[in-house]
């Protein structure tokens, strides 16, 4: 992670790193800002692992924690969040597009968009 200050300067400080383990190689990334102004980052790797990370930034201090782990069967090809509907959409290379609620307290498996009412 890095922070862009009010003057447009990028701060890539070491303190902003979020550890996901030595074997995790990030492949995709997206952000969400909820109706309550909570910021979440979603990051995946090629094996289908997806982490939801809660991010808090107060007094120039970045704090983060993993709040949920998701998994799809094959390689994810893209993710995007619909902030208004609070839904995460995951493009999976061999299967299609999944959707899931962004509420980190809900433990569910991703569902296919064919079932979604959009």
């Amino acid at each position: 992670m890095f922070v862009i200050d009010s003057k447009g300067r990028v701060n890539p400080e070491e303190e902003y790193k979020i550890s996901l383990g030595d074997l995790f190689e990030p492949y995709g990334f997206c952000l969400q800002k909820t109706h309550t102004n909570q910021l979440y980052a979603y990051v995946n790797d090629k094996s289908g692992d997806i982490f939801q990370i809660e991010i808090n930034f107060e007094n120039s201090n970045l704090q983060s924690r993993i709040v949920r782990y998701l998994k799809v069967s094959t390689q994810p090809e893209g993710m995007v969040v619909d902030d208004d509907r609070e839904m995460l959409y995951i493009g999976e290379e061999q299967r299609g597009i999944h959707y899931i609620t962004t509420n980190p307290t809900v433990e569910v498996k991703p569902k296919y968009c064919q079932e979604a009412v959009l």
Side-chain angles (χ1 to χ4, degrees):
M1 297 287 296
F2 60 88
V3 174
I4 302 173
D5 68 20
S6 61
K7 295 181 181 175
R9 295 180 298 224
V10 176
N11 184 352
E13 296 282 331
E14 188 75 19
E15 64 197 57
Y16 297 138
K17 286 193 175 184
I18 298 170
S19 177
L20 298 174
D22 292 337
L23 300 177
F24 189 86
E25 293 184 31
Y27 183 65
F29 175 83
C30 66
L31 289 172
Q32 173 195 18
K33 186 175 181 184
T34 69
H35 298 171
T36 61
N37 290 323
Q38 178 60 57
L39 185 63
Y40 290 106
Y42 298 84
V43 61
N44 66 44
D45 68 3
K46 289 185 178 184
S47 71
D49 294 324
I50 302 167
F51 290 97
Q52 182 176 357
I53 303 162
E54 181 182 86
I55 298 171
N56 294 299
F57 190 76
E58 293 182 26
N59 302 323
S60 300
N61 293 317
L62 180 81
Q63 298 177 342
S64 63
R65 69 182 180 100
I66 297 169
V67 294
R68 187 162 59 165
Y69 168 79
L70 303 165
K71 175 87 173 164
V72 292
S73 301
T74 64
Q75 180 174 321
E77 282 301 325
M79 297 185 300
V80 66
V81 174
D82 180 333
D83 289 337
D84 289 337
R85 294 183 180 176
E86 297 189 340
M87 297 294 288
L88 170 67
Y89 294 88
I90 306 160
E92 184 184 0
E93 188 172 274
Q94 300 298 320
R95 312 259 338 247
I97 298 173
H98 303 276
Y99 67 101
I100 189 168
T101 178
T102 59
N103 181 337
T105 64
V106 176
E107 293 293 330
V108 294
K109 293 183 178 181
K111 301 174 185 175
Y112 290 106
C113 272
Q114 297 92 293
E115 302 169 8
V117 177
L118 302 176

